[in-house]
Structures are given as structure tokens and as C-alpha cells.
Amino acid sequence: MKPNARERLIEGTRQLLWERGYVGTSPTAILARSGVGQGSMYHHFDGKPDLVLAAEQRSAELMQQQIAEAFAVEGTALERITRYLGRERDVLRGCSVGRLTADPEVMADDTLRAPIRETFEVLHEHLRRTVAEGVAAGEFAGEPDIDETASAIAAVIQGGYALARAAQAVEPFDRAVRGVLSLLRASAPRSN
């Protein structure tokens, strides 16, 4: 069954935001990508900002679901972090939510920025909880700052996307992931 016009508008806008950002996502481009008439856009949404917010919320919802699923598996903290970092991604396309942080129109609007902030908070909480479990289980030596470690892991993902896009190659992303995992493994207590 073909999705209804509202769903096609949201998905078309979501894809355009990921590819072009807010300014590059014109109503004309939205209509062309969605395959709906102009009347449908204004029937379902008050205008571009309203539609963009719905598309951002959809991207945020999908990403938050992926995050929850990635961390809802059995294994040690390091194994769960490794699975999350190694999950399949369209690296050269970047993060559908994170890319919007480079968009001045989105960042200037508290309402449009909210789904992005919330998604990064969800990621941070999952990482923080997993690192805390690893510390409690003795997987990491010393007493690493849990929030700082969670933030560093999240930054590696977003920074890895930027490095990969700049090089137009996946290797910089993979190298960043291997680097943070090496640091986490190096922090494991040594057995005598």
C-alpha cells in the first residue's frame, strides 16, 4: 500500500534535510521528492517549518530506536559499545540527525533544535549507562569519568562522519572507531 500524502511529505523532507539541510530543502524540492501536490503540503502542514519539524522528529525517533536496539543486547559493556560503533551506517551520507547541527537555520530555532538535542541526550544516556556498568563490572581500570567517556564516544561518531565526508572515504570513520575502541581496551585492567 502506498503511504499517504502526509507520510510521503515527511519522508521526502527527511531525506532532503539529510542531503541538503534546511536552506537547500525548498517547498518545490519537497513536492518533487514526495510526489504530492502543493495543496497536500499546506493541507497537512502550516508551512515548511512545521513540515521540517515533523521530518526531524521522524529522524530523531528512528535514530533513538536504533540506539535503544543497539544497546539492548547481552554482553559486556565493551562488547555493546563495540557493536554500537560497528553497526551498519551510511558513513559518507553522515548522520541524519547530527548533520543538522551544521545548519544555522535549525540551530537558531529552539523548536527545530529540540529533536536533535533530545537524540543526543538519548545517545549520551545509553553510552553513560553502559560505561557505568563496565566500570562497576571492573572492565575499565581506574575511575574514568563516565560522562566524559560517554561524550568522547559520541564525539568520535560525529567527528568520524565529518572526517569521512571530507575525505569522501569510509576509512577515516573506521579509523576513529578503531581508535576509541583501542583506548577503551587499553583501559581494561591487566591481569597478572
Side-chain angles (χ1 to χ4, degrees), residues 21-163:
Y22 185 91
V23 173
T25 301
S26 68
T28 302
I30 292 168
L31 296 174
R33 176 68 62 98
S34 304
V36 301
Q38 185 173 358
S40 290
M41 182 171 164
Y42 294 103
H43 171 74
H44 294 289
F45 301 96
D46 290 337
K48 179 180 169 182
D50 189 38
L51 175 53
V52 165
L53 179 60
E56 281 187 32
Q57 289 169 331
R58 176 70 52 79
S59 288
E61 174 185 303
L62 291 170
M63 181 161 286
Q64 290 173 28
Q65 180 180 353
Q66 291 171 346
I67 292 165
E69 289 171 359
F71 285 98
V73 295
E74 295 293 321
T76 67
L78 185 57
E79 288 169 346
R80 286 180 284 150
I81 292 168
T82 300
R83 271 194 294 272
Y84 173 71
L85 292 173
R87 75 176 177 81
E88 188 174 328
R89 303 167 194 272
D90 189 348
V91 172
L92 295 181
R93 198 163 180 208
C95 175
S96 64
V97 174
R99 281 192 62 180
L100 293 172
T101 63
D103 195 312
E105 298 290 327
V106 172
M107 292 295 96
D109 185 314
D110 290 341
T111 302
L112 293 178
R113 193 174 58 248
I116 300 164
R117 186 191 71 250
E118 292 164 6
T119 300
F120 283 120
E121 287 170 354
V122 166
L123 175 59
H124 182 82
E125 181 55 29
H126 280 280
L127 287 167
R128 192 200 65 71
R129 190 177 323 125
T130 304
V131 171
E133 290 169 9
V135 169
E139 288 184 58
F140 307 115
E143 294 184 27
D145 185 289
I146 293 166
D147 283 313
E148 289 175 3
T149 303
S151 291
I153 295 167
V156 163
I157 297 165
Q158 294 303 312
Y161 282 133
L163 294 171

Side-chain angles (χ1 to χ4, degrees), residues 161-184:
Y161 282 133
L163 294 171
R165 287 178 54 78
Q168 282 299 290
V170 175
E171 177 54 26
F173 180 91
D174 291 343
R175 193 171 47 243
V177 167
R178 287 191 308 269
V180 76
L181 290 173
S182 291
L183 291 171
L184 289 171

